[in-house]
Amino acid sequence: MRFDGRLPADLVVDEKIYAELMTEQGSAQALTRMTQWEFDYRGIRISALSSLAEGNDSVVIVQGIAETWWKYLPLILELNSRGFSVYTFDLPSQGRSGRFCPDHDRIYIRSMSDYTECLRQFVASLHLGSYSVISNSCGGLVTLSSGILKDASHAVFVAPMLKPVLPLEAAAPFVAQTIAFIIRLLHLRPVYCPGNGGYKKVVFWDNIRTHSEKRYELYQAFYQRNRAAAVGGVTWPWLASVLSARPVVPQCPSLFIIPGDDQVVRSDLTRRFATSCPAASVMEIPGAYHDILNEADSYRLPAVGRIFSFLLDMQPIGR
């Protein structure tokens, strides 16, 4: 199928369609219906993308770490086919956005505000009358810490990272804060956390993010073709920043999607947090890995189906 013209109603990007869309030709077609732009933020350029549709509210997608808007082309088209306009941007120091660290591969922020203030600036610049938010992984923590949900109609959190899975978890915040303080004090290059390093492709059988070999290999092929969009691992200042974040309970209707076999984030904390939300529902996907939006069809399709029904159920009658 083609992705640059009128989309079929209620498009679902299964693995077969994904294999067409995420090639160089397929994604180039899709991008012709979208708008790419950049904006300035704290001395770096931020890469943004929008794709407009008519009928329903706008949706702001807040990405996780080590991601770029290219990954979200399937979800963007699916939302467009249901009448939602979509806006997203690559977080600072990843994807096609500028870096705060001269070493391109290091995932580095100076504080959580490098994320949250960028998100607030982005949303304010759109001048949206009404909008929903879909956040993925670390994007969930950024969203919950940013204050943008006070004006949102509703929110979706896909495998939200309230806290990553860490070795020696009890000591991690103190160690991270101490090392980050020393790095700032002595103006040192940000140091990778143990087990992290420069960008390299992980073979599919060693990955803990998706069961879909097709989606995984096409996603990795994009980074092979677009090395400038890739990043490596996280640094101590990044870890110190996210561990010090203070997520705020959303008051808007919210949907939490929790993978059943998530080895990246603490799902138990997500469940506990969701129970504190006044208007939250939870969907658990048994057996699914962390990257639900890039998972095998048996995991991804029920999740996105629930997202779409949740968003559509919240739309005012007559729209």
Side-chain angles (χ1 to χ4, degrees), residues 39 67 108 160 186 214 217 219 266:
F39 62 93
E67 296 185 341
Y108 167 70
L186 301 179
K214 182 177 294 183
E217 294 297 344
Y219 188 29
R266 289 276 307 275

Side-chain angles (χ1 to χ4, degrees), residues 29-252:
Q29 286 179 4
L31 286 171
T32 63
R33 59 181 289 118
M34 303 177 186
T35 301
Q36 302 174 52
W37 79 95
E38 293 183 341
F39 62 93
D40 290 312
Y41 175 69
R42 294 187 173 181
I44 63 174
R45 300 291 287 173
I46 301 297
S47 176
L49 178 140
S50 61
S51 189
L52 304 183
E54 295 182 357
N56 289 314
D57 277 353
S58 297
V59 173
V60 175
I61 295 177
V62 186
Q63 304 170 23
I65 63 165
E67 296 185 341
T68 180
W69 46 250
W70 185 88
K71 172 186 175 177
Y72 290 88
L73 292 182
L75 181 62
I76 291 169
L77 294 180
E78 289 169 326
L79 288 165
N80 283 169
S81 76
R82 291 163 175 81
F84 293 97
S85 294
V86 181
Y87 303 85
T88 189
F89 68 99
D90 292 357
L91 291 172
S93 293
Q94 69 178 47
R96 298 180 185 274
S97 289
R99 306 309 198 244
F100 290 125
C101 176
D103 186 334
H104 183 280
D105 277 8
R106 295 172 191 255
I107 300 177
Y108 167 70
I109 54 173
R110 297 158 297 188
S111 69
M112 195 65 180
S113 69
D114 279 339
Y115 283 159
T116 56
E117 290 186 14
C118 186
L119 175 56
R120 285 197 292 268
Q121 177 180 321
F122 176 70
V123 172
S125 73
L126 300 175
H127 303 289
L128 301 174
S130 178
Y131 63 87
S132 304
V133 179
I134 298 176
S135 60
N136 183 57
S137 189
C138 183
L141 184 62
V142 175
T143 299
L144 290 166
S145 305
S146 68
I148 67 164
L149 292 182
K150 63 182 177 59
D151 297 317
S153 58
H154 46 292
V156 177
F157 302 94
V158 182
M161 189 197 77
L162 297 181
K163 182 180 287 188
V165 173
L166 296 168
L168 302 174
E169 183 173 312
F174 173 77
V175 172
Q177 294 290 353
T178 301
I179 296 176
F181 174 77
I182 294 171
I183 288 171
R184 288 193 298 268
L185 182 67
L186 301 179
H187 303 287
L188 302 176
R189 183 173 69 170
V191 179
Y192 284 116
C193 293
N196 289 260
Y199 170 76
K200 64 178 180 179
K201 179 185 175 182
V202 176
V203 297
F204 171 72
W205 298 110
D206 290 337
N207 102 90
I208 57 171
R209 294 179 177 272
T210 178
H211 292 88
S212 173
E213 185 172 7
K214 182 177 294 183
R215 294 181 192 268
Y216 183 83
E217 294 297 344
L218 282 168
Y219 188 29
Q220 293 301 315
F222 167 80
Y223 284 126
Q224 300 295 313
R225 298 192 306 269
N226 299 270
R227 180 64 181 83
V231 291
V234 301
T235 59
W236 283 108
W238 179 89
L239 182 60
S241 297
V242 300
L243 291 179
S244 65
R246 295 293 180 264
V248 176
V249 172
Q251 300 302 305
C252 62

